[in-house]
Amino acid sequence: MKTISSRDNPLYKELKHLAGSSQARRKAGRTLLDGVHLCVAYLEKMGLPPLCIVGETALLNEEVSAIIQQCSDSHTQCIVLPDALFHALSQVEHGVDILFVIDTPEIQQPSRLTQSAVLLDRVQDPGNFGSIVRSAAAAGIKQVYCSAGTTFAWSPKVLRAGMGAHFLLEIFEGVDLSDLLGRADIPVIATSSHADKQLYEVDLRQPVAWLFGHEGQGVADDLLARASYRVSIPHLGDIESLNVAASSAVCFFEQVRQQTSAK
């Protein structure tokens, strides 16, 4: 392992830039996984990272030691930082000080929508995005399509909220959702608090594409008009609508319920 103790070290400066700038992460095609859970999930699902970063104190942690051993045995570069330097990279308070630097996947977008998927129209909150992909992965959905204006799928905040779900999904960014809807071989279902049809009235035993929109504005009108169904989620309290992440979970697991009860 190599130790870096200076803030002026070129590699440390590069890491600091990645940690603090979404633009830098997009340009480099790299991002940071923060904490033991995400690092272990990456090792299990994706393999070895290009770079492992650990704080000095965390070297005493058994889980961290096991991760470092696995990386070192496979000749992955491991860097040790003084705790103060590490904490300038991490956004996690009171966590275990380990980071992976990973390459963000480049996946060719399918030409048509043929399997159950999630379509996100300008969903901007990282916590919402991460919760949606976590629920999607748990429900067995494999694909997520993101419009321009949707938060960066591979930001550290989104990754933490996703809890490893990213490594089970194909995520496509900067997608023209209107064009994609024109190439859908499956029904597209959009949620709307003003829809007449309720979620529980729709047959979800087949693959469907779920369309969710901006936290405040909902799905754009032109996309909403192209959906096969517009559905509402009934609720009893005096609240206009559910949070988009909560709505998505209800939808996904109603689909799971119908698919599993039909067997």
Side-chain angles (χ1 to χ4, degrees), residues 122-258:
R122 298 166 297 132
V123 172
Q124 295 183 342
D125 181 79
N128 282 337
F129 190 114
S131 295
I132 291 168
V133 297
R134 185 178 181 184
S135 295
I141 294 171
K142 303 295 185 184
Q143 295 180 338
V144 179
Y145 296 84
C146 310
S147 73
T150 297
T151 190
F152 182 41
W154 296 92
S155 76
K157 287 183 179 179
V158 173
L159 284 159
R160 288 199 304 278
M163 293 291 286
H166 287 67
F167 313 138
L168 300 171
L169 298 164
E170 296 179 331
I171 301 177
F172 309 99
E173 297 190 283
V175 177
D176 183 338
L177 293 184
S178 180
D179 178 65
L180 184 66
L181 292 180
R183 295 181 283 109
D185 295 332
I186 57 176
V188 177
I189 302 177
T191 54
S192 170
S193 58
H194 306 296
D196 294 329
K197 199 176 192 69
Q198 292 189 0
L199 169 68
Y200 306 115
E201 298 172 332
V202 180
D203 184 354
L204 302 174
R205 293 171 294 177
Q206 61 187 318
V208 301
W210 295 101
L211 175 59
F212 301 103
H214 181 276
E215 287 85 351
Q217 302 166 12
V219 176
D221 290 342
D222 62 319
L223 298 178
L224 200 59
R226 303 193 68 172
S228 309
Y229 303 103
R230 285 170 281 181
V231 301
S232 63
I233 299 172
H235 50 277
L236 301 179
D238 189 19
I239 297 292
E240 181 180 358
S241 62
L242 295 176
N243 167 275
V244 65
S247 295
S248 70
V250 172
C251 292
F252 299 155
F253 286 96
E254 171 60 15
Q255 185 180 17
V256 169
R257 185 195 68 79
Q258 290 191 25

